[in-house]
Amino acid sequence: MRPRVFLVDDHELIRSGIRAELADRVEVVGEADEVDAAIAMILERRPDVVLVDVHLPGGGGRAVVEAVRAAGGSAAFLALSVSDAPEDVIALIRAGARGYVTKSIAGADLATAVEAVAEGEVVFSPRLAGFVLDAFRDLPAGTTPDPELDQLTPRERQVLRLIARGFTYRDVGIELGVAVKTVESHVSAVLRKLQLSSRHELTHWAHERRLL
Amino acid sequence: MWVVRVAVLAAVLVHGVGLVAYVVAWVAVPRRGEDDGLAVRVWRDRRERHATVATTAVATVLVLVLAALGHGLGVAAVWPLLPTVIGAIVVWRGASTEERRALSASLTAPVVRVGRSSGWRATAVRVGLGVAAVVAGLNLLVASRTAASPVTDLLGGLVVTGAGLLVLFTPWWSETVRELAEERLARSRAQARADVADHLHDSVLQMLALIQKAADDPVEVTRLARKTERDLRSWLFGDERAARDSVAARVRAIESDVEADYAVRVETVLVGDAPVTEAHEALVLAAREAVVNAAKWSGAPVVSVFAEIAPGEMSLYVRDRGRGFDPDAVGDDHHGVAHSIVERVARAGGVARVTSRPGEGTEVELQWRTVP
């Protein structure tokens, strides 16, 4: 069954481009170009996947994700952006998005990412893997309130590094000698840590990064 | 309560004892709902105490100077005047912030209302008051030459004339200042807009024109679009990448340079950063060679670069999913390049590894770490 997809992007050209690219593999059930309309229509049409732009007039993609989730919407969110600003992307993931891809992604890859998110998987682009490695970088053991959530395991780091290098989940599995399912569960664990971790580095990290 | 009030009033008649008692009680006794009286509050806070002492001293000197100059302020007048002034100061300093705001608002409100209003009545009041004050002040000044106490009259005349001029011209002056500030703001906004327009014209509009011309050549269109995107992004997201003396900036530069010369997209992912050292430099140069090599030979549309950077440590990966090659075959042109990359990195004290299989792409892995 083709996943039902909703598009939120303030650029008509981008929306029609995505619609054209995804046409054979998903069913686009609606689109919106600003936050409030998006929230109302998503709650009404109940899509499986929402492709949401990081930057939107009226609060950004984050506002859409937060409002829909707060209202009990079950859609999975995939962040889509041209933005390089890591803090915006991380904020959207922390709000509950299940992955992040850049708009320069090839059409077939985007469709694959949408299908993956529709099935409950997590989509880590190389860039997101880099952001996450950066966010969890250089933290001496024992300095955080909750090491369980505030640290990545060596294996998770290994997986993220491979993804950052451009490996697909399948390639990562082959490289590490494990099943693709195992790779997916590592990535889900990283996403959970990213969303639940309370480490204040996550909020200060963006500022530090800007100073570099 | 009224019993107390009547008692105090009655006491006033007995040599003014009631008056003194009233003031003392007002200053010393805490009000309902408060822990401390006025005086205690002023005394407790060191800053308030200093401010009170200082203003009291200045006020005392002023009152004494006025008294010395004579003019209606004999020694007899000083005694009631001085406590009044000091009392007012203590009350002002001891007041809470809200009380102070309310007090100053109620004192200045009528003045402000008349001053701000542009209605004819307010203007008339303003002009009338101002002219009257100026005339009175000038009168005093003229009279001071023949007066009994010329200094007082001279000073008084100056003060009154000045006040009159202030009343007359302050609204006009403040209006002018406000207009100036607004004008300056508008001008700086226009300047900012002109800067943006300039930049967009130089980069984006020119590029769009070029793209229209190259409409038949998809490779060229992609290249131009990528270049525009990169320029615009570095302009929008600030100077962090303009700093060429960081390793991250140099890795980033590979992306822009190679994309400008070849029809490939370079996707760069960076983690961390460090100041540039010789070894970092050698690895970045080797990576550049690897990216160029991939762009030239692999046939893949995308080259991925991943760099993890720290002071004294660096890993760089250049990966494509192009046609690849057989590492065992010798004499091949790009195999020679791979060889030179390995040597370059080895000279800097690092390790390079090239993995490739025909049909499955190539990955160049560069590692360097200072020996602890």
Side-chain angles (χ1 to χ4, degrees), chain A residues 82-85 102 104-105 126-127 129-130 133-134 137 161 164-168 171 209-210 212, chain B residues 226 229 233 237 240-241 252 265 267-273 304-306 308-309 317 319 321 363 365:
Chain A
V82 291
S83 159
D84 262 339
T102 46
S104 55
I105 189 173
R127 189 168 282 166
L133 279 173
D134 226 358
R137 183 168 51 123
R161 282 203 182 95
R165 278 159 69 177
F167 281 56
T168 61
D171 294 343
R209 213 186 129 86
R210 289 212 148 165
L212 278 176
Chain B
R226 280 289 285 178
E229 181 194 342
R233 187 170 285 174
F237 293 116
E240 57 192 293
R241 282 167 205 157
R252 189 82 60 180
R265 211 169 72 227
E267 290 204 329
T268 311
V269 175
L270 293 171
V271 173
D273 200 356
S304 307
V305 176
F306 171 52
E308 237 184 325
I309 309 159
Y317 301 86
R319 183 181 157 87
R321 282 187 231 180
E363 185 172 52
E365 187 181 336

Side-chain angles (χ1 to χ4, degrees), chain A residues 136 144-153 156 189 192-193 197:
Chain A
F136 281 89
T144 58
D146 189 352
E148 185 74 1
L149 278 180
D150 298 339
Q151 300 268 39
L152 299 178
T153 66
E156 286 162 357
R192 199 177 60 90
K193 286 183 182 180
S197 167

Side-chain angles (χ1 to χ4, degrees), chain B residues 298 300 319-325 355-363:
Chain B
S298 74
R319 183 181 157 87
D320 68 72
R321 282 187 231 180
R323 62 174 71 99
F325 61 92
T355 331
S356 185
R357 234 170 300 156
E360 288 194 16
T362 306
E363 185 172 52

